[in-house]
Amino acid sequence: MTGRLVLVRHGETQGNVARMLDTRVPGLPLTERGAAQAKVFADNLHRPPRALFSSAALRARQTAHYIEAATGVAAGVLDGLHEVQAGDLEGAYWEEAHQTFQRIYRCWHEGDLGLRLPGGESARDVLDRFVPALTELRDTYLTADGVDGDIVVVSHGAAMRLVGRELAGVQPPFTTNNHLDNTETIELVPTADNGWTCVRWGRFTPPFGHDVAPTPDDPMG
């Protein structure tokens, strides 16, 4: 296998600034700071990706646009890569809503994949739409065909962390305590047995410790 699957959290939005549960597509656009973050990420890539995709959410498409502008690699949109759908909590920014979301989200990471957000998705719902899209990218691009290069996918923090736990076996409390800042990445390398190895999670590289304190971020990070 050659290349990595690089999952990138989108740049900052006003929803992030307000600590709002903004999950419904198309969602809010990037702030000026978010656009600058996307440009810096794109400029810091060591080489252009082999392929570039994003979720259908506006903030993800805008982030991918800046990567496209810097690298010349056309950005595509893939279904299934949008954020965890918050349901009845959509648009909420108050602490009680955050606590409800985080409580259910932690249960997902601890193995209760069927638990559902009020009026929203379960972890199984998220994985059932997200993982097949990544499997298709793996089968199409990350094969032993002698062509090197990374696949960059712009997506969303809560969904990315759940997928990182599922595919690469990174465990809580690391996965629940270590949020992703805007434009931070989870990077996965395919293994010969059709599995994945996580080689980066935000600021961290393996081994991923378990004795970590929660990091502050907006609730979707």
Side-chain angles (χ1 to χ4, degrees), residues 135-153:
T135 300
E136 183 174 354
L137 291 179
R138 176 195 178 116
D139 293 343
T140 303
Y141 298 101
L142 296 175
T143 56
D145 58 5
V147 180
D148 195 11
D150 297 335
I151 309 304
V152 172
V153 175

Side-chain angles (χ1 to χ4, degrees), residues 6 8 36-45 67 152 183-185:
V6 180
V8 187
Q37 290 170 335
K39 292 175 183 177
V40 168
F41 177 86
D43 289 342
N44 285 339
L45 287 172
I67 301 172
V152 172
T183 67
E184 283 194 327
T185 63

Side-chain angles (χ1 to χ4, degrees), residues 60-220:
R61 289 187 283 116
Q62 288 177 322
T63 301
H65 168 77
Y66 287 109
I67 301 172
E68 176 181 315
T71 64
V73 178
V77 174
L78 289 181
D79 292 333
L81 302 182
H82 49 281
E83 182 59 287
V84 170
Q85 295 298 284
D88 296 345
L89 301 178
E90 181 70 21
Y93 54 85
W94 46 91
E95 189 59 31
E96 183 180 357
H98 290 185
Q99 291 175 357
T100 298
F101 180 88
Q102 295 295 352
R103 175 179 58 80
I104 294 172
Y105 189 70
R106 283 194 297 270
C107 288
W108 292 355
H109 283 256
E110 292 163 1
D112 191 350
L113 302 183
L115 185 62
R116 185 174 299 277
L117 288 162
E121 288 187 300
S122 69
R124 180 50 59 198
D125 293 333
V126 178
L127 294 172
D128 283 351
R129 61 172 167 81
F130 208 117
V131 172
L134 300 188
T135 300
E136 183 174 354
L137 291 179
R138 176 195 178 116
D139 293 343
T140 303
Y141 298 101
L142 296 175
T143 56
D145 58 5
V147 180
D148 195 11
D150 297 335
I151 309 304
V152 172
V153 175
V154 184
S155 188
H156 307 267
M160 285 169 53
R161 287 190 286 143
L162 184 64
V163 167
R165 177 209 177 280
E166 176 76 5
L167 294 184
V170 185
Q171 293 296 307
F174 181 89
T175 57
T176 50
N177 286 357
N178 282 287
H179 295 196
L180 297 169
D181 290 336
N182 295 108
T183 67
E184 283 194 327
T185 63
I186 291 176
E187 300 178 19
L188 304 174
V189 173
T191 59
D193 60 357
N194 289 321
W196 297 90
T197 296
C198 184
V199 296
R200 176 168 295 278
W201 185 295
R203 301 180 299 278
F204 299 93
T205 55
F208 300 111
H210 295 272
D211 186 16
V212 289
T215 53
D217 198 359
D218 64 272
M220 305 311 298

Side-chain angles (χ1 to χ4, degrees), residues 1-45:
M1 299 287 184
T2 57
R4 298 168 299 166
L5 177 65
V6 180
L7 303 175
V8 187
R9 190 184 178 209
H10 58 81
E12 181 193 79
T13 71
Q14 192 57 46
N16 298 149
V17 175
R19 303 186 73 242
M20 178 187 298
L21 292 163
D22 171 36
T23 69
R24 192 176 296 137
V25 176
L28 294 170
L30 297 179
T31 61
E32 289 186 11
R33 181 170 183 262
Q37 290 170 335
K39 292 175 183 177
V40 168
F41 177 86
D43 289 342
N44 285 339
L45 287 172

